[in-house]
Amino acid sequence: MAHVEPAIPFDHFTGKLSKNERIVMRTRNGRTFAYAYRNPYQGPISENRKPVISAFSQAVSQCKSEMSDPERLAFWQDRYDQYNKLARRNPARANARFVGTNTDKYYSTLRGFIIASLSLRFRTANQ
């Protein structure tokens, strides 16, 4: 991963420059980064991964609709503020309380927090 300072016309690069390119540009938290894919998997998707991928795609589409509604966005923002306060001291406890997982991953964006919260809900609904 490399931090990139693009010139003005290329202010917010995202994605690849071509289909076969292995360098991907992403903007996270206002900063642009370049990632290199080294050994991407080319094979078929396993049956165990399909429910996880489906739950994630449902969570992303639900997150988009939740963030477009001002009332729901206010709900999620309040919940995320509570999460941030607890996660500063103990991310694992904050995730167990607000997201429903036992990992110590810290969700640095509101969108990531919403998707993580919703994807667990969709994953348990699909089982």
Side-chain angles (χ1 to χ4, degrees):
M1 173 179 70
H3 178 71
V4 178
E5 296 279 342
I8 296 297
F10 306 103
D11 215 5
H12 296 284
F13 262 141
T14 57
K16 299 178 183 181
L17 295 175
S18 70
K19 179 181 175 185
N20 297 324
E21 182 71 43
R22 290 187 174 226
I23 296 176
V24 179
M25 306 295 278
R26 295 182 184 149
T27 302
R28 297 288 186 248
N29 299 326
R31 296 173 62 191
T32 303
F33 294 93
Y35 295 85
Y37 284 124
R38 293 231 164 83
N39 296 311
Y41 181 68
Q42 304 279 332
I45 298 173
S46 119
E47 291 298 320
N48 293 337
R49 293 289 305 153
K50 287 181 181 178
V52 175
I53 293 169
S54 172
F56 181 76
S57 65
Q58 288 175 336
V60 169
S61 62
Q62 180 66 30
C63 175
K64 185 176 180 178
S65 66
E66 296 269 327
M67 290 184 81
S68 65
D69 181 17
E71 191 174 301
R72 292 299 295 166
L73 182 61
F75 165 77
W76 283 109
Q77 185 64 52
D78 182 50
R79 193 166 167 85
Y80 183 65
D81 291 342
Q82 293 173 10
Y83 166 80
N84 268 335
K85 188 180 280 187
L86 184 58
R88 278 189 217 120
R89 289 178 281 164
N90 191 335
R93 187 179 298 156
N95 286 336
R97 181 172 174 197
F98 291 102
V99 179
T101 62
N102 292 333
T103 64
D104 56 347
K105 175 178 174 34
Y106 173 70
Y107 296 100
S108 61
T109 63
L110 175 63
R111 182 177 181 272
F113 173 75
I114 295 172
I115 290 172
S117 300
L118 293 174
S119 65
L120 182 69
R121 195 176 307 159
F122 285 119
R123 218 176 307 146
T124 55
N126 288 341
Q127 289 178 350

